[in-house]
Amino acid sequence: MSSNNNTSLQQFKNLVAIKFQLYNSLFTSLPFHRIEKTGFLVPILLLNCEEGYRKGLSPVEILEEFFTKQTSSTKEDEKIDLLFRLVQYIERQVVLFDALEDASFKEIHDLGGSGTLKHLALEVETQHKEEALTKKLKDFSAQFVLTAHPTQFYRDAVLGIIHDISHGVNANNENQIYSYLQQLGRTPFFQKQKPTPYDEAVTLIWYLENIFYFSIGRVVGFLKNRFPEAVNADNPIMKMGFWPGGDRDGNPFVNADTTLKVGNALRQAIVKCYYLDIRKLKRRLTFKGVDIALAELEKKLYDNLFLPDHQFNLSKEEILNSLKNIHQQLIQEHNSLFVGLVDSLLTRVEVFGLHFASLDVRQESSIHGNVLNVIAEKTDSLPKNYASLGNQEKMNVLFNITASANPNIFEDAVEKDTLKSVAVIKTIQQLNGEAGCHRYIISQCNSALNAIEVFGLFLLGGWKKEELSIDIVPLFETVDDLENAAEIMKQLYSNKDYSEHLARRNKKQTIMLGFSDGTKDGGYLMANWGIYKAKEELTAISKQYEIDVVFFDGRGGPPARGGGKTHNFYASLGDKISNKEIQLTIQGQTVSSNFGTIDSAQYNIEQLLHAGISNELFPSKDGDMPEAEYQLIQRLADEGYVSYKTLKEHPQFANYLLHASPLRFYADTNIGSRPAKRGGGAQLTLKDLRAIPFVGAWSQIKQNVTGYYGVGAAFEKLANEGKWDEVKAMYDNSLFFKTLIDNCEMAMKKCFFPLTAFLSKHQQYGEIWNMLHDEYERTKKYIFLLTKQDQLMGKHPVDQLSIEMRERIVLPLLTIQQYAITKVREHEDSDNNEALKTSYEKLVMRCSFGIINSGRNSA
C-alpha cells in the first residue's frame, strides 16, 4: 500500500470510523417511539445476523431466533412494529455515516493532488504546454446532465440535515449535532405520494443553486486566473444539462406544460443566484459611480424575479455588459479593488447564462412514428399513404414538409404532447436563450428514419428548416444498436438535407450511448466493450464526413450502469475516439454522493476535466490500444456475453428476480415519477423493464449480477487456452481494462451471497442461485490472480473500508427485507390476513430506502 493510501486510510479511520461509533451513541436517546430499547437492540441484531449467516441460517431463522431470545414480542403485529422501529433507527445511522464522510472529504482527499486542476496546471507549466492547452480549450468542454432517475431516496429536508450535521461535525459542536440528530428523528424519510416531474426538478435545482453554481464557478475561475489566454467566454469549459421535466421516455406524467414550467424554474433560479451575488457585491463596491451601476443591475434582476405579472425582459448580454462596465470602472477609477469578486460573477454568468442548465427533451422512437401516422391519417400535412412508404421515401417526405399540424387532432395524450413539446422548446429558447433547450434525444433509435422523424416533427410544429436551432441526438443502447450505430450515422451524414442541417449546427453531431440498457442486454464486458468499439467506429465515420462528433454517455451510479471510477475511462481513450467534449449523465444517488458538497463536487469535476485535457496534452506512451489487446478484449467480451446470455435465457431468470428481490414493490416506493417499466402491459418482460429497477433489484439482494457475471467465465476460457499471461499483461498496461476490472471489484465488494443462500436448494430457483454464486466465486478467483491481492478492492483501502462499514450498517436491513418478502409470499399462499400482508409489503418497501441510500451508487 502506498504512503498516500496509508495516510488517507488513517484519516478515514479517525474522522469517519471512530466518530461514527461516538456519535452513534447519541441515537439511544433520539425521540422515536420506545427508542431507548431500539437503540440497544440494533447492535444485538447486527451481531445475531453476522453469527447467523456464518452458521448458514436464513433471514427468517435469524429473526425468529432474535424475537425469541432478545424480545418479548410473540404476536405477529408486535414483531412487525418492532421491525419498523429497527428500520427507522438504521436509516438514521446511514444518514450519520453520510454526513461524516461529507464532513471529512477535504481531509481524506488531496484537493491539490493527482487528477486535480492544480496538478494539471503544474504539469502544463513544467512541460511548457500552455499553447497546447489554449488550443485544447478552444472547443473542449465537459457537461454534467442531472437526471431524475428514481434512485435518490433522500427528501430535500433530509439532504439539508445531512448538510447541517456535516457542518456541525467540522465545527466539533456536539450540542448542535445532537439537536440535528433529534430533528432527524422527527423528520419523515419517505414520500407519502409519488413526486411529480416538477417536484423532481425542484430537488435537483437545489443542487444547481447550492453546489454547482459555486463549484463550477471555482473550477472555471481557477483556469481563467491561471491561464487567462486559454479560457474564452464563447467556450466556458463547463456546462450543465437537465432532464427532469424534459425526459418523456416512458413517463406519461411529463408534458409540455411541465417542460415550460421547469424551464421557467431554471431561469428563475439562476436569476436569483445572480441577485444574491449582486446584494453581496453591494457591501464591498460602495464606490462612487460603481454603486449606481450596481443598484441599476440589482433592480433589473429584482423586477424580473419578484414583481408579479412582470414580462421577463432580461438577457445574458445585458447582465454581462453591466458587469463588464463595473469591472472597467474598478480598474480605471478604484485601483482594481475587489475586481476579483466581479470576475467571479462574470465567470458564472458566462457559464450559466439565463438557462442555468440546458433542458433536454427525450422520447422513444416508436412514439414519433405513431404521431406521424396519425398526422398522415387526419391531415393533409403528410401523404395519406405515408405509413406504407419505405424508409427512404418517408425521409424524403419529412424533409419537404411545408404545412404545420394542429396538436388537437390527437386523441392520445402522449401523442398530442409530442407535437406540443416542439412549440414549447421554441418558447424556452426565447426566454432562456438557445442554450436553454436545444437537444432532442431519441431513445431506441434503430434507424436513420428515427432521427429524421424528429426533424419532420419540428417542421410540423411550425419551425422553419433554415432556422431549426435543435440538435437531434440518437441514443444507442443495446448490443445490436451499438453494432449498427455507425451505419445509421453514415446514412444520416450522406443525406443532403441532414448534412445541410448539421452545417447550420457548426458541423457538430451529438450521439448518446446508453450503458444501462447495454449492460442489461449484453452483460458487463460486452456492454462496456461494445460502447468503446462503437465510439471508435462513430469517430471514424464522422471524420470521413468532416463532422465533429460528441459522445454523450448515459451513465448511472453503479459499475453495471457505467458508473464507478468514471474519470479513468475518459483518461484511457486513445486518438481513435473523439474527445472534444465529455458529456455524461449524473443520476440518482451519484448526485448526492459525488456532488453533495461544494468541495466534493469541485474535486469530481476536476478529476473529469483533468482526464479529458491530459489525455490529449500528455498522451500515454502506449497511445492507442495495440491490436493484440484489442483482439484479447474482444475475445473476453464475446465469452462473457455467451455466459451472460445463457443466464439471461434461463427460463427462471426473470421469475427468480421477482421471487428473491423487492422488484415488484419498486414502483410503490414513491421515490420517482416514472413507472418501473415501459408500456402498460401487466406481464413483466426484460425488454420493457427499465435498467434502473433491474440493476437496483440485484443490488438489494446483494448479487450485483450485471457488474460481474460473465467476467470469470471469460477469464477461465482464456486461461484454459493458455492466454492468461496475455490477460495479466493487458491488466498491467491498459488503463481501460484495469478500470473495467476495478469497477467490477466494486460491484463484487457489495455482494453478500449468505443473505440468499437459503435459495440454493430451492426446487425452482436453486439452479439460478448456484449459477450466480459459482460465477461470483470464479470471477473472484481470477481477479485475485490478476491483481495479486487477497481481497476485493485491496488497492483502494479507503473505498474498501467505506463499503465494508456501510454494508455492515445495513446488514440488519437486508435481513429484515428478506424476512418481509418471505412473509408476503406466505400470506399470498394462505390468503388469511390481508392487513398483515400489507404491513409486510410496506416493510419491504421501507427497507429499500436505507439499503439504496447506504450503497450510494447501487442503482
Side-chain angles (χ1 to χ4, degrees):
M1 192 187 300
S2 70
S3 58
N4 283 344
N5 275 344
N6 273 324
T7 303
S8 296
L9 181 60
Q10 192 57 52
Q11 288 280 62
F12 186 90
K13 288 177 178 177
N14 294 339
L15 299 173
V16 180
I18 294 173
K19 282 191 176 183
F20 176 74
Q21 300 302 326
L22 291 172
Y23 289 125
N24 191 36
S25 64
L26 293 175
F27 276 102
T28 55
S29 55
L30 280 177
F32 298 157
H33 174 52
R34 298 194 297 278
I35 187 63
E36 294 84 2
K37 188 173 183 181
T38 308
F40 291 118
L41 285 176
V42 169
I44 294 172
L45 175 57
L46 172 59
L47 292 173
N48 285 179
C49 289
E50 290 176 327
E51 184 180 346
Y53 288 123
R54 279 195 295 269
K55 292 179 179 177
L57 300 182
S58 72
V60 171
E61 290 169 329
I62 290 170
L63 280 173
E64 291 298 352
E65 184 178 283
F66 171 76
F67 288 134
T68 302
K69 292 183 177 180
Q70 307 296 343
T71 78
S72 58
S73 303
T74 55
K75 295 180 181 178
E76 201 163 2
D77 57 350
E78 292 175 345
K79 294 177 181 179
I80 292 172
D81 175 63
L82 175 59
L83 291 177
F84 269 110
R85 287 190 283 119
L86 291 166
V87 170
Q88 188 182 31
Y89 184 97
I90 297 165
E91 284 174 339
R92 272 93 183 151
Q93 286 184 307
V94 174
V95 169
L96 174 60
F97 197 86
D98 284 346
L100 289 170
E101 282 205 322
D102 286 349
S104 63
F105 190 90
K106 286 168 68 173
E107 283 72 30
I108 293 171
H109 297 83
D110 186 354
L111 302 190
S114 178
T116 65
L117 290 186
K118 287 180 181 176
H119 181 248
L120 175 70
L122 286 173
E123 287 183 300
V124 168
E125 290 164 350
T126 302
Q127 299 187 36
H128 307 294
K129 293 277 188 174
E130 289 87 351
E131 189 175 332
L133 179 67
T134 300
K135 182 181 178 183
K136 174 69 176 175
L137 294 186
K138 184 178 180 183
D139 53 11
F140 172 80
S141 66
Q143 180 172 13
F144 291 128
V145 181
L146 303 180
T147 77
H149 291 322
T151 54
Q152 175 51 269
F153 282 67
Y154 288 140
R155 295 172 58 241
D156 292 0
V158 179
L159 289 169
I161 295 170
I162 292 174
H163 184 76
D164 293 339
I165 291 175
S166 295
H167 278 284
V169 169
N170 281 328
N172 286 317
N173 190 330
E174 291 189 9
N175 289 331
Q176 194 177 61
I177 295 167
Y178 184 63
S179 298
Y180 293 148
L181 292 176
Q182 290 188 72
Q183 178 191 0
L184 191 65
R186 297 176 182 271
T187 302
F189 259 46
F190 58 94
Q191 308 276 5
K192 293 286 186 184
Q193 298 176 323
K194 272 187 175 293
T196 66
Y198 184 73
D199 294 333
E200 293 172 328
V202 169
T203 297
L204 288 179
I205 287 173
W206 184 92
Y207 285 96
L208 288 173
E209 292 176 310
N210 294 282
I211 305 294
F212 289 103
Y213 181 73
F214 298 101
S215 57
I216 289 177
R218 282 186 191 175
V219 167
V220 179
F222 173 82
L223 284 172
K224 283 181 71 174
N225 291 333
R226 194 71 170 257
F227 304 104
E229 300 300 318
V231 183
N232 62 79
D234 295 329
N235 181 43
I237 302 171
M238 277 301 304
K239 304 172 188 174
M240 291 301 298
F242 207 76
W243 273 22
D247 182 13
R248 296 153 156 68
D249 179 17
N251 192 342
F253 307 110
V254 177
N255 56 39
D257 291 338
T258 308
T259 304
L260 183 58
K261 189 177 179 182
V262 171
N264 289 336
L266 286 165
R267 185 181 67 255
Q268 292 292 96
I270 192 58
V271 171
K272 183 175 74 172
C273 288
Y274 298 154
Y275 174 76
L276 293 175
D277 269 359
I278 292 295
R279 298 273 296 177
K280 291 174 188 172
L281 276 176
K282 282 183 70 179
R283 296 177 62 180
R284 300 279 79 85
L285 304 186
T286 52
F287 321 131
K288 183 179 179 181
V290 175
D291 57 345
I292 295 173
L294 208 55
E296 289 175 352
L297 180 54
E298 180 192 17
K299 185 177 186 310
K300 288 177 185 175
L301 293 167
Y302 179 91
D303 290 351
N304 282 281
L305 197 56
F306 297 116
L307 290 186
D309 303 321
H310 179 84
Q311 188 73 30
F312 192 82
N313 63 348
L314 199 59
S315 69
K316 173 183 175 181
E317 289 69 27
E318 192 175 352
I319 299 172
L320 285 174
N321 288 337
S322 296
L323 289 173
K324 286 174 182 176
N325 288 336
I326 292 168
H327 188 271
Q328 283 300 109
Q329 277 185 278
L330 289 175
I331 293 172
Q332 294 172 2
E333 301 172 22
H334 302 288
N335 202 30
S336 298
L337 190 58
F338 300 127
V339 74
L341 298 177
V342 180
D343 277 332
S344 295
L345 183 52
L346 269 168
T347 295
R348 292 190 175 106
V349 177
E350 287 167 356
V351 172
F352 298 115
L354 289 176
H355 62 283
F356 217 154
S358 295
L359 183 58
D360 288 340
V361 174
R362 180 172 77 136
Q363 184 55 284
E364 196 258 318
S365 61
S366 66
I367 301 294
H368 306 137
N370 294 341
V371 170
L372 293 169
N373 289 339
V374 172
I375 291 174
E377 179 186 333
K378 295 189 175 184
T379 75
D380 294 327
S381 300
L382 291 173
K384 294 296 180 188
N385 67 338
Y386 174 81
S388 63
L389 297 176
N391 282 10
Q392 188 57 54
E393 292 174 301
K394 284 182 177 179
M395 287 194 283
N396 292 339
V397 168
L398 293 169
F399 277 122
N400 290 287
I401 290 171
T402 55
S404 59
N406 188 335
N408 293 325
I409 64 171
F410 296 97
E411 297 175 9
D412 180 85
V414 173
E415 292 172 356
K416 178 184 288 189
D417 171 74
T418 302
L419 198 57
K420 288 176 72 175
S421 65
V422 167
V424 161
I425 291 172
K426 182 176 283 188
T427 303
I428 293 173
Q429 287 195 2
Q430 290 167 348
L431 292 168
N432 297 14
E434 184 182 311
C437 188
H438 65 93
R439 302 202 302 194
Y440 197 110
I441 299 164
I442 308 154
S443 297
Q444 299 191 32
C445 184
N446 303 313
S447 67
L449 173 62
N450 288 159
I452 305 309
E453 285 170 337
V454 170
F455 192 100
L457 284 172
F458 274 88
L459 299 183
L460 289 163
W463 290 70
K464 298 274 189 291
K465 187 186 295 188
E466 297 75 18
E467 300 170 3
L468 187 55
S469 51
I470 297 294
D471 297 311
I472 296 170
V473 182
L475 167 54
F476 304 114
E477 297 183 90
T478 67
V479 173
D480 288 342
D481 287 347
L482 292 170
E483 288 179 351
N484 297 329
E487 180 57 34
I488 290 173
M489 296 313 301
K490 182 178 180 180
Q491 291 177 37
L492 288 172
Y493 292 155
S494 60
N495 183 285
K496 176 178 175 292
D497 293 283
Y498 191 75
S499 179
E500 289 174 355
H501 170 68
L502 286 179
R504 291 189 289 270
R505 302 300 296 162
N506 297 317
K507 302 195 81 172
K508 185 171 86 171
Q509 172 68 56
T510 302
I511 298 173
M512 186 172 182
L513 300 167
F515 285 76
S516 303
D517 283 303
T519 311
K520 188 187 82 170
D521 182 47
Y524 181 68
L525 289 174
M526 180 58 83
N528 281 278
W529 182 237
I531 286 175
Y532 188 96
K533 284 200 306 176
K535 284 185 175 182
E536 285 193 338
E537 292 166 3
L538 289 165
T539 299
I541 197 69
S542 300
K543 281 183 179 177
Q544 185 180 327
Y545 286 88
E546 299 181 338
I547 300 296
D548 288 330
V549 66
V550 173
F551 295 118
F552 174 23
D553 291 340
R555 294 180 179 271
R561 295 185 52 239
K565 299 183 181 300
T566 306
H567 61 278
N568 283 342
F569 280 119
Y570 294 106
S572 69
L573 301 180
D575 292 337
K576 292 181 181 178
I577 294 178
S578 173
N579 192 28
K580 277 204 166 182
E581 296 184 31
I582 292 176
Q583 299 185 5
L584 70 158
T585 54
I586 307 295
Q587 302 180 9
Q589 307 139 288
T590 310
V591 179
S592 57
S593 61
N594 287 357
F595 304 92
T597 67
I598 294 171
D599 287 328
S600 63
Q602 180 178 346
Y603 179 81
N604 284 297
I605 289 168
E606 289 191 14
Q607 291 286 316
L608 192 72
L609 283 174
H610 184 283
I613 295 170
S614 62
N615 186 41
E616 186 167 316
L617 264 62
F618 313 106
S620 66
K621 295 175 184 176
D622 299 326
D624 288 315
M625 187 180 295
E627 181 62 24
E629 286 185 5
Y630 194 96
Q631 295 302 325
L632 198 60
I633 295 184
Q634 182 65 58
R635 276 296 315 281
L636 288 169
D638 288 340
E639 295 298 339
Y641 180 55
V642 169
S643 176
Y644 179 75
K645 194 164 180 283
T646 301
L647 172 72
K648 195 174 69 166
E649 291 177 352
H650 191 287
Q652 297 300 334
F653 182 65
N655 291 333
Y656 172 85
L657 190 59
L658 278 173
H659 178 87
S661 79
L663 177 61
R664 60 187 172 126
F665 307 104
Y666 202 88
D668 298 322
T669 50
N670 291 334
I671 54 167
S673 68
R674 207 163 63 157
K677 62 191 279 292
R678 291 182 174 94
Q683 184 65 36
L684 175 77
T685 67
L686 285 178
K687 184 179 185 298
D688 289 336
L689 181 63
R690 290 193 172 279
I692 295 166
F694 179 74
V695 173
W698 287 115
S699 76
Q700 289 196 51
I701 58 173
K702 296 299 162 183
Q703 295 179 349
N704 296 310
V705 168
T706 46
Y708 75 86
Y709 202 92
V711 176
F715 282 158
E716 186 175 71
K717 181 77 172 175
L718 267 69
N720 290 340
E721 293 177 4
K723 296 183 178 178
W724 185 244
D725 286 344
E726 295 174 41
V727 174
K728 286 198 295 185
M730 182 166 65
Y731 176 79
D732 292 334
N733 297 324
S734 169
L735 179 59
F736 172 78
F737 184 61
K738 188 177 185 302
T739 305
L740 266 185
I741 301 307
D742 282 352
N743 282 346
C744 177
E745 286 189 72
M746 184 188 294
M748 294 179 70
K749 186 67 180 173
K750 297 181 180 182
C751 290
F752 185 67
F753 276 87
L755 177 70
T756 51
F758 66 95
L759 291 171
S760 63
K761 295 182 176 64
H762 193 283
Q763 184 176 353
Q764 188 174 354
Y765 302 119
E767 184 180 357
I768 287 277
W769 188 92
N770 283 293
M771 287 175 68
L772 303 178
H773 182 253
D774 290 348
E775 179 62 7
Y776 173 84
E777 291 296 332
R778 184 183 297 112
T779 303
K780 187 166 68 170
K781 167 191 165 184
Y782 282 100
I783 281 180
F784 286 169
L785 289 172
L786 203 58
T787 62
K788 299 172 184 170
Q789 300 284 318
D790 58 3
Q791 51 188 329
L792 293 168
M793 296 186 69
K795 294 183 178 180
H796 306 282
V798 173
D799 292 340
Q800 182 192 56
L801 181 56
S802 175
I803 290 172
E804 287 172 355
M805 290 191 69
R806 287 176 174 278
E807 294 299 302
R808 191 165 187 264
I809 290 169
V810 296
L811 185 59
L813 269 188
L814 295 162
T815 305
I816 292 169
Q817 186 179 67
Q818 279 298 311
Y819 174 87
I821 290 173
T822 302
K823 291 296 181 180
V824 169
R825 287 197 297 267
E826 288 177 3
H827 282 283
E828 284 175 342
D829 293 339
S830 60
D831 199 26
N832 59 356
N833 194 322
E834 188 63 31
L836 284 175
K837 174 175 165 287
T838 300
S839 293
Y840 281 122
E841 288 174 340
K842 289 180 179 177
L843 186 57
V844 172
M845 291 185 284
R846 185 62 184 268
C847 288
S848 292
F849 289 76
I851 295 168
I852 292 289
N853 283 332
S854 180
R856 293 215 121 177
N857 72 343
S858 53

